[in-house]
Amino acid sequence: MSATNEKSTIDSVREWVVDHKLRTVGCLWLSGLAGSIAYNWSQPGMKNSVRIIHARLHAQALTLAALAGAAVVEYYDHKSGAKAKRYAKFLPPMEHSHTHKD
């Protein structure tokens, strides 16, 4: 695998994450919850209610981290103008005639 091929794969994953921020956060929450439940069930001597509470707390912390990451990505996209460039192809061209009706 060449470096350009790897970079394009990483870039395509990054673009998908940028375009689907909420879906990404939801998937992270669900995988965090499932992973935490699996880990907690392997620990002996815990009540099931405590396992579920721990799993929810771990998933909630992962979700907050993912939301913070999405906010940072959104901030940098807005600051760099990348978001405007990405959506410009969907908008009709703007005419720059400024006529005022009095």
Side-chain angles (χ1 to χ4, degrees), residues 18 20 66 85:
V18 167
H20 302 95
K85 292 175 192 171

Side-chain angles (χ1 to χ4, degrees), residues 30-48 50-59:
L30 188 60
S31 63
L33 188 65
S36 184
I37 286 174
Y39 173 75
N40 285 325
W41 246 265
S42 70
Q43 302 299 313
M46 261 192 203
K47 289 183 179 180
N48 287 343
V50 174
R51 289 177 176 154
I52 292 171
I53 289 170
H54 282 186
R56 187 192 62 83
L57 289 174
H58 293 146

Side-chain angles (χ1 to χ4, degrees), residues 1-69:
M1 183 181 271
S2 69
T4 58
N5 202 11
E6 183 178 329
K7 184 178 180 184
S8 66
T9 303
I10 291 171
D11 285 343
S12 65
V13 168
R14 183 191 167 280
E15 286 177 17
W16 188 90
V17 168
V18 167
D19 290 340
H20 302 95
K21 289 179 191 85
L22 292 179
R23 187 175 292 170
T24 303
V25 170
C27 289
L28 279 171
W29 175 81
L30 188 60
S31 63
L33 188 65
S36 184
I37 286 174
Y39 173 75
N40 285 325
W41 246 265
S42 70
Q43 302 299 313
M46 261 192 203
K47 289 183 179 180
N48 287 343
S49 60
V50 174
R51 289 177 176 154
I52 292 171
I53 289 170
H54 282 186
R56 187 192 62 83
L57 289 174
H58 293 146
Q60 189 174 7
L62 184 62
T63 302
L64 287 173
L67 284 172

